[in-house]
Amino acid sequence: MDETPSSGTDGTPPPRTDEAPVSTTSRAGLRGLVSDPLFATALVLVVLAAAFAGWAGWSWYSAAHSGPPASAQLRDQVLQAGEQAVQNFNTLDYRKVAQGIALWEQSSTGPLHDQIAAGRAQFTRQIQQTKTVTTARILDGALTSLNTRAGTASIIVAVQITVTPVTGTPATKQSRLAGKLTRTQTGWKLSALGQVPVGAAAGTSAGGSSGG
């Protein structure tokens, strides 16, 4: 039977020693993810995971305070831009890394763009080491919020990712990603991207469309 620690001499209970420490993502853990070809191309998603957790709450608030409804044509345009950007971020050929990362930069703005620019050398080195060709196909997408006055939008996209190594069998997986779009002078671009939190997809609207 477990023994209950005795209290201190002043009658106060002793400090607890059975509380688990707050978990953090170690560098070793990140290296483990990067070593898996399925995650190498989308490393930026891992880098931004913490930032996305904070942004997710804002996106749901924004959905309820997004101002007057936009036209169906505008919503389709924004969704199409978002789906294309997500597809770009999950497409990369180790033989053309420079072009692939340049496409990431062209498809992004704000914090996401800054992360890519800062990590360009690291991304290039890791993809060249894994020697994989990654392609993506959009399965479905939905615009969850659109604020035309602020020039912001939120999307959820289901994407199928195929990773083909130099030797061996291609590996395929499906992911559900959430992104924040920001309107720029050259169109709508991703400013945040991450995995959809568990249970969040159930709250999306039925205004999705498929991409290719």
Side-chain angles (χ1 to χ4, degrees), residues 78 81 106-109 151 181-190:
V78 176
Q106 294 169 12
S107 304
S108 62
T109 187
L181 293 166
T182 300
R183 185 175 56 214
T184 71
Q185 293 181 346
T186 55
W188 292 84
K189 298 185 178 183
L190 282 171

Side-chain angles (χ1 to χ4, degrees), residues 70-79 143 146 148 183 188:
S71 67
Q73 182 179 6
L74 177 57
R75 292 179 65 86
D76 289 344
Q77 291 174 350
V78 176
L79 176 59
L143 193 66
L146 174 59
T148 55
R183 185 175 56 214
W188 292 84

Side-chain angles (χ1 to χ4, degrees), residues 60 140-145 154-157 176-178 196 199-208:
W60 298 120
D140 196 13
L143 193 66
T144 59
S145 72
S154 302
I155 59 171
I156 287 182
V157 178
R176 190 173 294 272
L177 307 176
V196 174
T204 60
S205 65

Side-chain angles (χ1 to χ4, degrees), residues 13 29 38-40 54 63 75 85 100-101 106 121 138 141 147 159 162-163 169 207:
L38 280 175
F39 292 96
R75 292 179 65 86
I101 296 180
Q106 294 169 12
I138 302 300
N147 189 324
V159 59
T162 300
V163 180
T169 304

Side-chain angles (χ1 to χ4, degrees), residues 130-181:
T130 60
K131 293 187 176 182
T132 55
V133 177
T134 304
T135 57
R137 182 168 67 91
I138 302 300
L139 303 177
D140 196 13
L143 193 66
T144 59
S145 72
L146 174 59
N147 189 324
T148 55
R149 288 196 297 263
T152 59
S154 302
I155 59 171
I156 287 182
V157 178
V159 59
Q160 179 172 293
I161 303 170
T162 300
V163 180
T164 304
V166 175
T167 59
T169 304
T172 300
K173 75 165 186 174
Q174 295 182 2
S175 294
R176 190 173 294 272
L177 307 176
K180 177 182 176 183
L181 293 166

Side-chain angles (χ1 to χ4, degrees), residues 7-42:
S7 60
T9 56
D10 58 354
T12 59
R16 294 183 60 183
T17 60
D18 58 345
E19 294 182 352
V22 177
S23 61
T24 57
T25 303
S26 65
R27 293 183 179 180
L30 287 176
R31 286 197 296 269
L33 286 174
V34 172
S35 64
D36 186 339
L38 280 175
F39 292 96
T41 301

Side-chain angles (χ1 to χ4, degrees), residues 54-90:
W55 164 75
W58 174 91
S59 68
W60 298 120
Y61 174 88
S62 176
H65 300 78
S66 56
S71 67
Q73 182 179 6
L74 177 57
R75 292 179 65 86
D76 289 344
Q77 291 174 350
V78 176
L79 176 59
Q80 184 177 7
E83 289 180 338
Q84 184 62 59
V86 170
Q87 181 171 322
N88 293 345
F89 264 87
N90 288 279

